[in-house]
């Protein structure tokens, strides 16, 4: 389980996150939703210790993050984080060199699933394919937790469909996934849990099936209530 | 440990193309310098001997012989060395900033590697150090070749031969290629210390951005003062208190302290303060 | 096999209803093997957890059964299949009545109309 407790983060005098708390379970897809600029990416960066926090605590399976944690949790940002001049095959080799949890068999499978060519250079890929390479490099790690930042933003409809299919596949099965988005449509049926963010606080945290079952509301219905009500 | 070596290897590969170009420029420019200068000297000699009807010995008396000293004084020889020094100095900064620049921010990947983050720092420093040593080694291999090329081109009467030792003694190269092991340790130890100080200052900037530039400068000034503390004490309150050798030993100690401190602060910043 | 999902109803409930329809209409035969939860998640583009939940629900209701490590199968219990069919019909009729009630049509007229429309629909 990933536990975010009372997370506060300031940029200069501006408080971006003001006591954020939520949990994300293993085996579940948790979705952080909020309009742009509410600090969703900052939360993911903070979980991965890629930015300092002002106060609060983040635990992964009860532990603070340490170097071995990166074999257990990984982050797929919305931009490529491999060297652009690398070929996909070289990027995979880099991953294999540095991570014990790299699973080449799975990588090959995802390569096929996304119809990527391993000799292509990352710098020469379309936006959709770049996003897929990013996903490939994260999904092929045998990690317990996957964080994804806006996996659907700014890419074509067919790539979106392909990427959405990942979430109903064994590629994320049994793992804990946190994804951020400002657009829920592509994945409304796929997520287990929603954390709504606004003005640096969690405005609502709910289980999607429960809200449908108990209140007969869609995720968008709840968002409308929270943001406009 | 193995990930440190993998990182060193990886960082070396990232710069190898530019590095090989630098090495190529040094080789071509210095060899060309020898050939061009030897030719122009010989052309001048034959013209003057023919036109002014001088004998060889009269010419040599008036105009002097050709030696490697002239070669080392030319832009063909110094230029590529200066170019390499400047390139490597820039790379001390660029080796960090390249990870943050552009659409593809590789620093995400580096910071998420399952290894102590200080290994990133140490591997980058190692690469800078290895690259400097590599160029020095290249120069040491190149010198005898150039000396022999000069011997082969210019007849014995017209030249004064110099050994590598003499060549190194005659100019600034004795800083780059020290003649004793002590000097080597002093020069390159100081160089490495400066790289560490600069790296830590860069990490201050990367952690605190605008404010970090100030912190970095303050840190740099503090580190330099700390390093020179024995000398400062010597020339102020402890007037001529230390023997030269003691002073050297004390600088060795303060140098180690500054290096250790820089690595420690760098480690702290990488773990606690760095921002992507 | 495809499923268009309603966003305001739990996904697992919709999956269970889909199975009931298949069973009642005989598209799933008694004892027939059904997809694994992973395959189902893939086919319906739903979360594997939801597929798991739907199967658990169906197992509890006795619609499907699992022996040891074998894949799950549709129940062979004819009575159960009858009940499912009945349930679907009753639910549909209930819905129909709810929407026709406010119009206040006499039952005989309604039944006649239903017969007519039903036949027309079959011919098409």
């Amino acid at each position: 389980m990933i536990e975010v407790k009372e997370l506060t983060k300031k940029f200069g005098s501006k408080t971006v996150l003001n006591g954020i708390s939520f949990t994300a379970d293993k085996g579940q897809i948790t979705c952080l939703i909020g309009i742009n600029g509410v600090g969703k990416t900052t939360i993911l960066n903070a979980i991965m210790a890629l930015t300092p926090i002002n106060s609060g605590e983040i635990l992964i399976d009860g532990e603070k993050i340490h170097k071995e944690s990166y074999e257990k949790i990984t982050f797929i940002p919305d931009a490529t984080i491999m060297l652009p001049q690398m070929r996909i095959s070289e990027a995979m080799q880099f991953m294999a060199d540095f991570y014990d949890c790299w699973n080449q068999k799975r990588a090959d499978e995802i390569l096929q699933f996304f119809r990527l060519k391993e000799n292509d250079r990352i710098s020469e890929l379309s936006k959709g394919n770049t996003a897929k390479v990013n996903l490939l490099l994260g999904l092929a790690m045998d990690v317990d937790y996957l964080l994804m930042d806006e996996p659907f933003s700014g890419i074509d409809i067919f790539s979106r469909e392909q990427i959405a299919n990942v979430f109903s596949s064994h590629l994320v099965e049994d793992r804990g996934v946190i994804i951020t988005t400002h657009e829920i449509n592509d994945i409304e049926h796929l997520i287990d849990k929603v954390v709504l963010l606004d003005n640096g606080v969690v405005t609502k945290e709910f289980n999607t099936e429960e809200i449908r079952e108990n209140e007969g509301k869609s995720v968008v219905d709840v968002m409308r209530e929270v943001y406009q009500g | 440990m193995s990930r440190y070596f993998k990182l060193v290897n990886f960082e070396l590969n990232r710069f190898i193309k530019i590095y090989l170009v630098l090495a190529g420029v040094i080789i071509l420019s210095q060899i060309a310098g020898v050939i061009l200068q030897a030719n122009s000297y010989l052309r001048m000699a034959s013209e003057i001997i023919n036109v002014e009807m001088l004998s060889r010995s009269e010419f040599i008396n008036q105009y002097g012989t050709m030696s490697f000293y002239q070669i080392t004084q030319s832009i063909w020889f110094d230029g590529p060395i200066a170019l390499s020094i400047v390139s490597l100095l820039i790379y001390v900064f660029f080796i960090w900033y390249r990870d943050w620049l552009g659409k593809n921010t590789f620093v995400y990947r580096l910071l998420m590697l399952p290894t102590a983050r200080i290994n990133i720092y140490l591997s980058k420093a190692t690469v800078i150090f290895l690259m400097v040593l590599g160029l020095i080694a290249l120069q040491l291999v190149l010198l005898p070749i150039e000396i022999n090329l000069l011997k082969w081109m210019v007849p014995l009467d017209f030249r004064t031969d110099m050994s590598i030792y003499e060549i190194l003694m005659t100019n600034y190269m004795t800083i780059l290629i020290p003649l004793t092991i002590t000097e080597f340790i002093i020069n390159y130890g100081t160089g490495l210390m400066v790289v560490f100080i600069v790296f830590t200052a860069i990490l201050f900037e990367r952690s605190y951005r605008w404010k970090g530039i100030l912190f970095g400068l303050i840190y740099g000034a503090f580190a330099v003062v700390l390093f020179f503390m024995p000398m400062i004490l010597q020339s102020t309150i402890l007037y001529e208190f230390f023997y030269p050798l003691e002073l050297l030993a004390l600088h060795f100690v303060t140098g180690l302290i500054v290096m250790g401190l820089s690595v420690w602060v760098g480690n702290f910043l990488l773990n606690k303060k760095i921002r992507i | 096999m495809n499923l268009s999902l309603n966003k305001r109803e739990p996904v697992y409930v919709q999956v269970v209803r889909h199975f009931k329809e298949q069973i009642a209409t005989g598209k799933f035969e008694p004892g027939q093997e059904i997809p694994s939860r992973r395959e189902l998640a893939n086919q319906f583009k739903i979360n594997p957890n939801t597929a798991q939940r739907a199967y658990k629900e169906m197992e509890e209701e006795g619609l499907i059964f699992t022996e040891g490590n074998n894949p799950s199968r549709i129940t062979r219990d004819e009575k159960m299949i009858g009940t499912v069919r009945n349930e679907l019909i009753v639910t549909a009729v209930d819905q129909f009545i709810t929407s026709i009630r406010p119009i206040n049509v006499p039952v005989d007229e309604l039944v006649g109309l239903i017969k007519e429309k039903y036949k027309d629909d079959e011919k098409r």
Side-chain angles (χ1 to χ4, degrees):
Chain A
M1 186 164 67
I2 298 175
E3 295 164 87
V4 176
K5 297 177 187 171
E6 291 297 319
L7 174 60
T8 299
K9 166 83 186 172
K10 291 175 185 155
F11 284 117
S13 57
K14 192 173 168 240
T15 303
V16 186
L17 304 175
N18 193 3
I20 296 274
S21 298
F22 68 91
T23 61
D25 282 318
K26 194 160 178 274
Q28 288 210 338
I29 301 173
T30 302
C31 189
L32 303 183
I33 305 178
I35 48 170
N36 280 332
V38 295
K40 296 177 301 243
T41 305
T42 308
I43 294 174
L44 300 188
N45 284 338
I47 294 174
M48 297 307 286
L50 297 173
T51 195
I53 60 177
N54 295 83
S55 66
E57 189 180 38
I58 298 165
L59 300 177
I60 298 158
D61 289 338
E63 291 180 334
K64 285 196 175 177
I65 199 159
H66 52 93
K67 62 181 182 182
E68 278 86 22
S69 306
Y70 296 108
E71 295 275 10
K72 196 159 100 172
I73 179 167
T74 200
F75 179 29
I76 305 171
D78 64 348
T80 336
I81 56 170
M82 269 297 169
L83 300 181
Q85 66 270 25
M86 277 184 170
R87 295 176 192 283
I88 296 176
S89 56
E90 289 165 339
M92 292 196 295
Q93 187 55 50
F94 179 92
M95 297 301 283
D97 281 347
F98 282 95
Y99 291 94
D100 294 336
C101 65
W102 179 256
N103 182 335
Q104 188 57 46
K105 227 181 95 201
R106 182 178 283 174
D108 292 336
E109 187 193 329
I110 301 168
L111 211 58
Q112 272 203 326
F113 182 78
F114 283 147
R115 299 197 199 104
L116 293 166
K117 293 191 219 59
E118 63 175 334
N119 282 325
D120 284 353
R121 275 188 208 283
I122 291 174
S123 56
E124 288 160 5
L125 296 173
S126 68
K127 198 144 191 278
N129 279 345
T130 312
K132 287 177 205 165
V133 169
N134 239 1
L135 277 170
L136 158 73
L137 297 177
L139 289 169
M141 290 164 78
D142 281 331
V143 287
D144 292 340
Y145 298 100
L146 272 166
L147 314 184
M148 300 185 198
D149 194 15
E150 298 277 357
F152 299 101
S153 79
I155 50 179
D156 62 281
I157 174 94
F158 299 112
S159 297
R160 280 152 84 123
E161 270 178 17
Q162 265 186 316
I163 290 171
N165 287 345
V166 165
F167 292 92
S168 54
S169 75
H170 64 286
L171 295 171
V172 301
E173 200 179 351
D174 298 330
R175 309 211 224 184
V177 179
I178 299 182
I179 101 167
T180 67
T181 186
H182 58 277
E183 217 190 325
I184 185 77
N185 283 332
D186 295 294
I187 48 166
E188 178 149 6
H189 291 123
L190 297 170
I191 53 185
D192 295 286
K193 187 174 178 179
V194 172
V195 178
L196 291 182
L197 300 164
D198 199 20
N199 283 325
V201 294
V202 173
T203 44
K204 198 171 170 93
E205 184 178 356
F206 62 92
N207 184 299
T208 53
E209 288 283 81
E210 273 171 24
I211 212 98
R212 291 185 197 113
E213 180 135 47
N214 301 337
E215 302 182 28
K217 288 174 188 157
S218 70
V219 175
V220 177
D221 291 339
V222 180
M223 286 171 66
R224 207 172 283 131
E225 277 170 24
V226 170
Y227 291 124
Q228 296 175 353
Chain B
M1 202 59 183
S2 82
R3 286 197 178 91
Y4 160 77
F5 287 113
K6 284 176 187 169
L7 274 171
V8 170
N9 177 47
F10 177 74
E11 289 283 355
L12 273 174
N13 285 330
R14 284 174 85 187
F15 192 56
I16 199 74
K17 276 186 196 152
I18 301 173
Y19 189 69
L20 289 178
V21 169
L22 276 182
V25 168
I26 293 178
I27 295 170
L28 289 178
S29 173
Q30 289 194 352
I31 299 275
V34 173
I35 294 171
L36 287 171
Q37 282 182 287
N39 269 339
S40 80
Y41 176 85
L42 289 174
R43 206 179 313 119
M44 177 184 80
S46 74
E47 258 174 41
I48 289 171
I49 289 170
N50 287 332
V51 175
E52 298 182 18
M53 305 297 255
L54 293 179
S55 72
R56 282 185 168 203
S57 55
E58 282 167 334
F59 169 82
I60 292 166
N61 272 335
Q62 280 185 32
Y63 292 91
T65 53
M66 171 95 192
S67 80
F68 209 83
Y69 182 73
Q70 280 110 298
I71 305 274
T72 61
Q73 293 306 305
S74 82
I75 187 84
W76 294 97
F77 192 88
D78 291 348
I81 293 176
L83 178 72
S84 303
I85 292 173
V86 170
S87 305
L88 286 173
L89 282 179
I90 293 172
Y91 199 60
V92 167
F93 289 87
F94 190 55
I95 200 171
W96 285 101
Y97 285 101
R98 69 184 302 179
D99 290 332
W100 268 270
L101 292 177
K103 269 197 325 201
N104 305 48
T105 41
F106 189 66
V107 67
Y108 274 98
R109 185 86 279 151
L110 282 181
L111 294 178
M112 292 195 292
L113 291 177
T115 179
R117 286 182 181 173
I118 194 64
N119 282 336
I120 300 168
Y121 182 108
L122 295 176
S123 65
K124 286 183 191 294
T126 309
V127 165
I128 298 284
F129 199 59
L130 286 177
M131 295 210 157
V132 173
L133 291 185
L135 290 182
I136 297 300
L138 173 69
Q139 186 65 74
L140 279 177
V141 171
L142 215 47
L143 274 177
I145 296 173
E146 289 162 0
I147 289 169
N148 281 314
L149 182 63
L150 189 70
K151 280 186 186 166
W152 179 70
M153 287 185 69
V154 181
L156 186 60
D157 300 349
F158 286 99
R159 66 169 205 259
T160 308
D161 287 339
M162 290 169 84
S163 66
I164 291 184
Y165 180 82
E166 286 168 319
I167 293 169
L168 294 180
M169 282 298 285
T170 52
N171 60 15
Y172 63 89
M173 283 185 62
T174 175
I175 299 169
L176 294 179
I177 309 177
L179 297 168
T180 67
I181 189 75
T182 321
E183 279 176 287
F184 180 86
I185 292 171
I186 293 170
N187 293 358
Y188 284 88
T190 311
L192 193 61
M193 180 189 76
V194 170
V195 168
F196 279 174
I197 296 172
V198 172
F199 273 16
T200 299
I202 290 170
L203 289 178
F204 268 111
E205 191 281 327
R206 286 291 82 196
S207 299
Y208 299 98
R209 303 292 149 98
W210 285 107
K211 255 190 285 172
I213 297 177
L214 186 67
F215 295 164
L217 289 174
I218 293 172
Y219 177 77
F222 170 77
V224 169
V225 169
L226 184 59
F227 175 63
F228 284 114
M229 194 50 87
M231 205 185 273
I232 294 167
L233 290 177
Q234 173 88 326
S235 59
T236 54
I237 47 176
L238 298 176
Y239 186 70
E240 298 299 320
F241 179 78
F242 301 119
Y243 289 113
L245 208 58
E246 286 176 339
L247 202 59
L248 186 68
L250 284 172
H251 275 128
F252 188 74
V253 172
T254 54
L256 283 181
I257 291 173
V258 168
M259 281 202 229
L261 184 70
S262 296
V263 172
W264 186 82
V265 173
N267 186 42
F268 170 77
L269 291 171
L270 276 171
N271 282 320
K272 301 285 182 206
K273 296 292 173 195
I274 202 78
R275 290 195 217 167
I276 40 77
Chain C
M1 213 159 43
N2 224 324
L3 190 62
S4 75
L5 293 165
N6 176 341
K7 292 182 175 177
R8 295 196 171 84
E9 201 182 357
V11 177
Y12 85 92
V13 173
Q14 300 181 57
V15 172
V16 172
R17 185 180 323 112
H18 175 83
F19 268 83
K20 284 182 175 171
E21 282 167 12
Q22 303 292 311
I23 294 169
T25 54
K27 283 182 189 134
F28 276 154
E29 282 165 14
Q32 185 183 330
E33 210 174 272
I34 57 170
S36 70
R37 69 167 185 152
R38 182 185 282 183
E39 287 160 356
L40 186 82
N42 254 319
Q43 274 173 9
F44 287 175
K45 313 266 180 264
I46 57 173
N47 185 318
N49 291 328
T50 311
Q52 171 69 21
R53 173 98 189 262
Y55 276 16
K56 198 174 147 239
E57 207 71 26
M58 290 194 283
E59 197 124 2
E60 277 168 15
E61 282 189 45
L63 293 171
I64 59 171
F65 66 96
T66 316
E67 284 166 348
N69 274 334
N70 296 321
S72 300
R73 292 171 182 282
I74 300 290
T75 182
R76 294 202 179 84
D77 182 348
E78 295 290 342
K79 222 175 96 194
M80 170 61 74
I81 295 169
T83 318
V84 167
R85 183 167 176 275
N86 226 25
E87 189 191 311
L88 282 176
I89 296 168
V90 170
T91 315
V93 170
D94 281 348
Q95 278 172 1
F96 172 69
I97 290 174
T98 319
S99 51
I100 205 76
R101 177 68 75 199
I103 307 171
N104 234 341
V105 195
V107 167
D108 292 342
E109 189 189 338
L110 195 56
V111 171
L113 208 59
I114 289 173
K115 275 184 184 162
E116 209 174 295
K117 286 274 176 192
Y118 210 73
K119 275 177 195 159
D120 282 358
D121 200 56
E122 269 172 0
K123 275 178 209 157
R124 251 186 259 144

